[in-house]
Amino acid sequence: MSTMAALPRGYRRLFAAGATALLLTIGCAAPPASATTAELDTAITAAMQATGVPGVIVGVWSPRGDYVRAFGVADTATGAPMQTDFYSRIGSETKTFTITAVLQLADQRRIGLDDPIGRYLDGVPGGDAITVRQLAGMRSGLANYTETQGFRDAITADPHREYYPAELLGFAFAEPPVFPPGEGLQYSNTNTILLGLLVEKISGMRLGDYLRENVLAPLRLSHTSFPSGAEFPAPHAQGYTELADDGPPITATDWNTSWSWSAGAMISTLADLHTWAPAVATGALLSPEMQRQRLQTVHEDGLPPDVGYGLGIFTVGGWIGHNGSIPGYQTVVVYQPDTRTTLVILTNSDISPPGGGEASSALAEAITTVITPEHVYHLGP
């Protein structure tokens, strides 16, 4: 399962310069469960060295204690250290916000999850058969626009240009469906672009305004935002990516993220995501019945048996939440209900480590092996 709004795979490979050994000791209470601070420090540092990620921000919160630290560098040119209060692009974690908005509208009976998307939006191929629920659960069969050659050529030619949702959908709709609606599971950013448009159509508000008033404000997420283009609040780390397989690392900090819109454009902080992780996992903004439906997951072949995708949310080894990847940045934002533990990871590189996969997933696996060995976050390679 690819769970990111991201560019072609060549953008996410080994960061050749590697990570530094710099560790910032940020105020830290006793860590969760039986883990010691030293064990977590060692696990994170080893995962950074193995994946080559230059900088990481980590937060772990549980009834047994908290662990909040920043490792490595925010800028490989200056050596400036990562800090725990940095803003970060959160990639596909955006989907949890967008689909929470959709589920709120369903709670209000302004839309039906089993209604065809064609009832609300014109021009969707097969829109009379694809339901809102199938879009939210990645079962529509619509091609993923970020995997099309047309999009790859356009974004590689100019990563600073602005895109509109209709342009993004055009890349997807030019391709045949991958499977009939409801007959498979494929992660597709196209689904969430359509759901963003659905929120705008039904609410009569711009998506960013709706999220600010109905999702962010109720939880006091004052440092989370939905940018319209390349804006990026300070302070933040430089974000590193690459344009070709094994190419040199480049900075993507000021790239325009309008190409990911409702699927991956949002910005947040460690503190806000600490609040958001348990809120989205427990349904703080939804009715109990709507949250129950959200957490009904479907398994994808080829992934570990304890991995499933629900409605804009996944379960991995007993952890509930989402991850995200966008050029220069990756996130993991999850909550483990049995142990009431929250884990947030923010990195400043999306370059794939040796052997493939994502650095953020490797870090999450290393951390959960220490703090919750009975619930290890493992997405596979």
Side-chain angles (χ1 to χ4, degrees):
M1 180 186 301
S2 172
T3 52
M4 50 191 158
L7 300 185
R9 298 186 183 186
Y11 285 70
R12 304 183 306 278
R13 295 183 63 84
L14 174 65
F15 183 77
T20 71
L22 177 65
L23 166 65
L24 298 180
T25 305
I26 309 299
C28 172
S34 60
T36 67
T37 298
E39 287 177 308
L40 283 168
D41 291 350
T42 298
I44 294 167
T45 301
M48 290 179 67
Q49 292 172 345
T51 59
V53 65
V56 179
I57 303 169
V58 175
V60 180
W61 300 267
S62 86
R64 297 193 179 189
D66 304 336
Y67 176 95
V68 178
R69 290 198 169 185
F71 296 77
V73 296
D75 188 325
T76 59
T78 67
M82 288 289 276
Q83 303 282 1
T84 58
D85 63 347
F86 280 174
Y87 288 89
S88 183
R89 300 196 187 279
I90 62 173
S92 283
E93 182 64 25
T94 301
K95 291 179 174 66
T96 62
F97 291 91
T98 298
I99 295 175
T100 294
V102 171
L103 298 179
Q104 286 180 330
L105 294 173
D107 252 342
Q108 298 163 16
R109 302 185 186 280
R110 299 171 71 180
I111 61 171
L113 291 182
D114 295 312
D115 290 344
I117 189 63
R119 179 175 298 180
Y120 307 107
L121 301 176
D122 296 330
V124 181
D128 58 342
I130 298 171
T131 67
V132 174
R133 187 188 304 274
Q134 288 166 348
L135 291 170
M138 300 297 172
R139 293 183 291 116
S140 73
L142 292 171
N144 186 358
Y145 72 90
T146 56
E147 295 295 329
T148 67
Q149 192 60 49
F151 174 79
R152 293 183 182 192
D153 291 344
I155 197 72
T156 302
D158 183 5
H160 297 92
R161 64 160 287 197
E162 184 174 3
Y163 288 85
Y164 296 93
E167 294 179 82
L168 305 176
L169 294 176
F171 292 117
F173 294 168
E175 303 292 326
V178 180
F179 51 77
E183 295 189 15
L185 176 68
Q186 183 205 24
Y187 192 83
S188 174
N189 293 308
T190 305
N191 295 325
T192 320
I193 299 298
L194 284 168
L195 292 177
L197 290 173
L198 176 64
V199 172
E200 292 194 333
K201 176 71 175 292
I202 300 304
S203 70
M205 303 171 66
R206 291 181 178 274
L207 179 59
D209 294 337
Y210 180 93
L211 292 175
R212 185 168 55 252
E213 292 185 19
N214 297 281
V215 179
L216 305 181
L219 296 175
R220 299 182 180 179
L221 304 181
S222 58
H223 295 94
T224 302
S225 60
F226 188 95
S228 59
E231 59 267 34
F232 197 170
H236 57 254
Q238 295 295 314
Y240 298 95
T241 192
E242 60 185 8
L243 284 174
D245 290 358
D246 298 318
I250 61 173
T251 58
T253 315
D254 61 349
W255 286 9
N256 190 318
T257 59
S258 59
W259 64 268
S260 60
W261 198 54
S262 56
M266 290 182 73
I267 293 168
S268 192
T269 63
L270 185 72
D272 272 14
L273 294 173
H274 169 209
T275 299
W276 179 243
V280 72
T282 61
L285 300 178
L286 303 174
S287 68
E289 171 57 22
M290 190 59 65
Q291 182 67 5
R292 183 191 68 79
Q293 293 186 55
R294 179 172 210 168
L295 295 179
Q296 291 178 340
T297 59
V298 176
H299 177 71
E300 183 179 10
D301 291 341
L303 287 176
D306 59 358
V307 177
Y309 201 86
L311 302 182
I313 202 166
F314 64 40
T315 57
V316 179
W319 292 87
I320 302 172
H322 215 286
N323 62 0
S325 184
I326 198 164
Y329 304 90
Q330 288 187 341
T331 61
V332 173
V333 183
V334 290
Y335 178 74
Q336 210 298 307
D338 294 343
T339 58
R340 290 180 292 157
T341 302
T342 297
L343 170 63
V344 177
I345 300 170
L346 303 169
T347 78
N348 64 337
S349 171
D350 72 308
I351 300 172
S352 293
E358 298 181 342
S360 58
S361 293
L363 283 155
E365 183 169 352
I367 293 167
T368 56
T369 298
V370 173
I371 63 173
T372 55
E374 70 283 15
H375 296 291
V376 174
Y377 181 108
H378 179 65
L379 276 177

